[in-house]
Amino acid sequence: MIHKRNTFQIKPEYISEFNYLFHKYIYPEFIKKGAKLIGRWTNEAQDEVVEIWEFNSKAHYESVNFEIDQNKEECEKLNSYVTESKEDFLTTTVPQGGSYHPPKHIMSVSGYITNEKGEVLLVRNFHRSNTLEIPGGQVEEGETLEQAIHREILEETGVEVKLIGITGIYQNMSRGVTCVVFRGEYYSGTIRTAEDETSEVFFAQLTEENLNDYITREHFRNRTLDAMHANYLPYEAFYLRPYELITRYESHVKND
């Protein structure tokens, strides 16, 4: 297992175009070929992007990059937004000092959100364009799960929601990601897409019969079906020393 860090200096006026190409082309191609994105960060000035990727071996890294480089049109377009780039392989000691360890696990959240007609909020992400899915994303450091799902849904769809409870927990062993799914209701806002993130956002009348027409990936269908027929799980967020309860959802069953 090796970890490679890419650092790009970007012309600030082209940061949106650079990110669009990353989500549209680079990310899905790397993932398809077995690479794993550990993290990606943009600085406040919007002129530097840092990525850390994980590969099975040096040979795996070289084969993935060789195939990516064959698409000269996309690579030239990407490079036109970059003023300078640097890459290095991370070992146990990072050049700045200290030790680097990839995250042991990533926590994410998704939301099964319905409107007054009982329709479900769906999105199509740029890097998973072959399926629709319920909105969501990664939990940021210092966030509760509840804060994260409110933020992610607002960012991806423009919608604010009222949460009811948690309907399931799903662990992706291949990617090291655990997803917690909430069920909730539309509260306010006008649905819209998010630049460089979602290409479609809409409410749809989902049923067990038509679910496959919208959601093509099995693990997304499973969590959507569980939320459709929800058995709610208890949830608490709290601080210790001294104990301070931030939020709690009681365990209960809702029959639709």
Side-chain angles (χ1 to χ4, degrees):
M1 202 78 72
I2 64 170
H3 296 93
K4 181 171 175 290
R5 176 172 52 195
N6 299 324
T7 304
F8 301 99
Q9 301 299 322
I10 312 294
K11 301 171 186 175
E13 64 270 26
Y14 293 124
I15 189 67
S16 293
E17 289 85 347
F18 183 82
N19 287 335
Y20 173 83
L21 274 180
F22 173 83
H23 289 294
K24 186 74 175 176
Y25 173 64
I26 298 296
Y27 179 84
E29 288 300 314
F30 268 52
I31 294 300
K32 197 189 305 178
K33 293 172 174 54
K36 179 179 178 181
L37 182 64
I38 299 299
R40 188 173 189 268
W41 304 269
T42 304
N43 67 354
E44 287 186 16
Q46 300 283 288
D47 61 3
E48 182 180 87
V49 174
V50 178
E51 303 166 0
I52 296 178
W53 289 92
E54 181 179 281
F55 300 90
N56 297 331
S57 63
K58 189 76 176 288
H60 178 218
Y61 154 73
E62 289 171 349
S63 70
V64 170
N65 275 270
F66 175 79
E67 291 187 46
I68 294 292
D69 288 344
Q70 301 313 298
N71 192 328
K72 298 195 182 300
E73 183 180 348
E74 297 292 350
C75 288
E76 286 175 7
K77 203 180 298 181
L78 201 69
N79 290 333
S80 70
Y81 305 137
V82 177
T83 58
E84 186 182 343
S85 65
K86 182 176 71 173
E87 57 182 46
D88 58 325
F89 290 94
L90 300 176
T91 58
T92 52
T93 303
V94 183
Q96 289 83 357
S99 295
Y100 169 75
H101 302 282
K104 290 183 171 57
H105 218 78
I106 296 170
M107 182 66 71
S108 69
V109 287
S110 293
Y112 182 98
I113 307 301
T114 55
N115 61 13
E116 69 281 356
K117 299 177 184 176
E119 297 169 323
V120 180
L121 184 62
L122 296 176
V123 302
R124 189 184 301 277
N125 279 292
F126 277 116
H127 58 273
R128 289 189 294 272
S129 58
N130 66 340
T131 185
L132 289 155
E133 60 193 270
I134 55 179
Q138 289 188 19
V139 180
E140 295 182 354
E141 188 175 354
E143 279 188 319
T144 66
L145 301 181
E146 184 180 11
Q147 290 167 338
I149 190 60
H150 278 293
R151 175 184 53 76
E152 283 289 346
I153 292 176
L154 183 61
E155 288 177 357
E156 289 191 354
T157 72
V159 165
E160 294 191 21
V161 301
K162 175 185 176 183
L163 298 177
I164 299 170
I166 289 174
T167 61
I169 301 170
Y170 307 86
Q171 188 174 12
N172 182 334
M173 298 299 293
S174 300
R175 298 273 176 83
V177 179
T178 294
C179 181
V180 177
V181 177
F182 284 82
R183 181 158 174 168
E185 298 170 346
Y186 169 86
Y187 180 71
S188 67
T190 302
I191 60 172
R192 49 133 181 91
T193 57
E195 187 177 6
D196 301 330
E197 196 163 0
T198 51
S199 57
E200 287 184 73
V201 178
F202 59 91
F203 281 98
Q205 193 69 57
L206 282 191
T207 65
E208 289 188 41
E209 289 70 30
N210 70 9
L211 189 60
N212 290 0
D213 298 334
Y214 292 94
I215 302 176
T216 61
R217 299 195 183 190
E218 185 177 3
H219 62 296
F220 288 154
R221 285 200 300 268
N222 289 343
R223 63 187 66 171
T224 305
L225 274 171
D226 290 342
M228 193 179 288
H229 307 294
N231 291 308
Y232 292 97
L233 307 175
Y235 163 70
E236 270 190 4
F238 56 87
Y239 293 109
L240 277 181
R241 301 188 183 96
Y243 175 78
E244 178 190 349
L245 179 66
I246 301 172
T247 188
R248 176 177 173 84
Y249 292 112
E250 299 292 339
S251 176
H252 61 284
V253 177
K254 179 178 178 180
N255 295 315
D256 293 326

